[in-house]
Amino acid sequence: GINAEYGVIATAGTRITGHIDNIPSLRSLSDTYEMWLHARGSVCPLLALPDPPQTLSLLTQCDSVAVYNSSLLPGCTSVSLSLLSELQLPSDVQSLETLLPLWAGVQCQGAEGCVGSVRERYEGVMELYREIQSIRNIQIMEYPLTGHILCFRYLAEDATLFETTDSEIYNRLMNNLNRELYGQLSGVSTVELVDLGEGGIFLRAEERTDDNIASTLRSYSAAFDLSLRLRVELYTRTRSVENFLFIDDPCYPSTGAVQYLPQYLRAEEACRSEEGREELNEVNRKIAEYLAQSWGDGVI
């Protein structure tokens, strides 16, 4: 029989990334030592759907499942509900005050209403997933396994970019562009966003979203594409102009930077000397001022 003194607790959807533990491995471990396997997490309300996401079917291997810290179920952001043979109150609840929002939500909507609310939020995220899929150079890092969390990132696929820079600078450039994208999305979106750098931007949407996210992604993806095309063009033209160098600075994720370097300052000793650096900076400052007067403030 099952050892009542010990058990294995699996994570079934972390709040930010929706991570789910390896349930089959934990099931095997639990069977070997005759222990109870319990899963708790934020995605468990999706199991109430008639056709839950296939990736969640593994949770049926658990002996019990708990809804924990989930906005998918009204009022369940701060309580844990254990689904065993019947509904049980969690042992760690110190006050019924934490259960009142859940109780009120269930009383107001009923069982069918709660399931309908979960379905509506799930369908809203999947609709957003399909919209993001259609946006050029916005890459879905992984399928929304848990049904309420999306992870995406801007990645330029133009092969000519790799001819202008090495992979390290390219990756840093993409990171800077995605930080800019994250900042813009944070200003227009009401959903929870988390920037994990190269891991992508995690979007935790637990209710039907508006069009601001998709439209902002589409707008900035197009702007980034144009900027990078101009960057490649600037690099190509700079190579054909004597005494001009293209400065591939990923911290300046626009068209790039150009430096005028006359022949007499190309020697390593001249560039390193204080007088040489001052003269080089003065020459380039005057060029920038002239270009700013001619072309506007886009030149710095």
Side-chain angles (χ1 to χ4, degrees):
I2 294 179
N3 189 331
E5 296 183 4
Y6 301 97
V8 177
I9 299 180
T11 297
T14 55
R15 179 171 178 81
I16 295 178
T17 64
H19 168 78
I20 298 177
D21 285 340
N22 190 327
I23 301 299
S25 295
L26 295 178
R27 177 73 273 171
S28 177
L29 176 67
S30 300
D31 291 341
T32 299
Y33 294 98
E34 298 182 344
M35 294 187 298
W36 188 276
L37 177 58
H38 176 72
R40 67 197 296 260
S42 63
V43 303
C44 295
L46 294 172
L47 292 173
L49 300 177
D51 51 346
Q54 187 175 2
T55 51
L56 300 185
S57 62
L58 294 173
L59 294 179
T60 59
Q61 300 180 24
C62 300
D63 298 307
S64 60
V65 177
V67 179
Y68 175 72
N69 200 21
S70 175
S71 297
L72 285 167
L73 189 62
C76 196
T77 57
S78 59
V79 299
S80 174
L81 297 179
S82 299
L83 306 180
L84 304 173
S85 58
E86 59 184 10
L87 194 65
Q88 298 181 356
L89 294 181
S91 58
D92 58 346
V93 173
Q94 301 298 323
S95 170
L96 290 179
E97 293 180 359
T98 58
L99 289 174
L100 287 178
L102 175 63
W103 178 84
V106 173
Q107 289 295 315
C108 180
Q109 299 189 52
E112 292 184 3
C114 288
V115 173
S117 177
V118 172
R119 172 178 289 281
E120 180 180 2
R121 298 177 184 196
Y122 170 65
E123 290 178 348
V125 173
M126 295 309 296
E127 180 180 344
L128 179 60
Y129 165 72
R130 289 187 288 271
E131 286 190 60
I132 293 178
Q133 266 192 316
S134 66
I135 302 176
R136 171 182 167 83
N137 287 342
I138 297 295
Q139 179 179 344
I140 299 286
M141 304 301 288
E142 62 180 39
Y143 183 79
L145 301 176
T146 60
H148 72 304
I149 293 178
L150 296 174
C151 179
F152 55 87
R153 194 166 187 257
Y154 175 82
L155 285 175
E157 298 177 353
D158 191 343
T160 58
L161 286 174
F162 294 98
E163 300 174 5
T164 69
T165 184
D166 60 41
S167 59
E168 180 181 355
I169 292 181
Y170 172 80
N171 290 334
R172 289 172 59 193
L173 176 61
M174 291 300 106
N175 289 341
N176 285 330
L177 289 174
N178 278 281
R179 275 195 289 270
E180 173 68 17
L181 183 61
Y182 170 77
Q184 296 300 326
L185 287 174
S186 299
V188 302
S189 174
T190 58
V191 301
E192 185 176 354
L193 294 167
V194 179
D195 182 12
L196 295 184
E198 294 185 9
I201 299 173
F202 282 85
L203 180 151
R204 183 172 178 267
E206 295 185 331
E207 59 186 39
R208 186 173 295 277
T209 59
D210 53 32
D211 294 331
N212 285 340
I213 296 174
S215 61
T216 301
L217 281 174
R218 189 170 287 106
S219 173
Y220 274 87
S221 176
F224 290 166
D225 289 347
L226 175 60
S227 178
L228 292 175
R229 284 197 297 271
L230 292 175
R231 190 183 186 93
V232 173
E233 182 179 351
L234 179 62
Y235 169 81
T236 303
R237 293 191 177 188
T238 301
R239 288 196 303 176
S240 62
V241 179
E242 186 178 5
N243 294 335
F244 277 88
L245 297 177
F246 179 79
I247 308 300
D248 212 346
D249 184 2
C251 295
Y252 187 64
S254 183
T255 54
V258 176
Q259 182 185 53
Y260 173 68
L261 184 60
Q263 288 290 341
Y264 70 90
L265 287 177
R266 283 180 177 270
E268 187 173 353
E269 295 78 8
C271 287
R272 289 187 175 182
S273 68
E274 184 175 352
E275 295 79 5
R277 289 197 302 270
E278 290 181 356
E279 183 175 352
L280 184 61
N281 290 337
E282 179 65 18
V283 170
N284 281 274
R285 184 184 64 79
K286 290 182 178 180
I287 293 175
E289 289 178 352
Y290 172 77
L291 293 177
Q293 294 175 357
S294 302
W295 295 348
D297 295 335
V299 178
I300 300 177

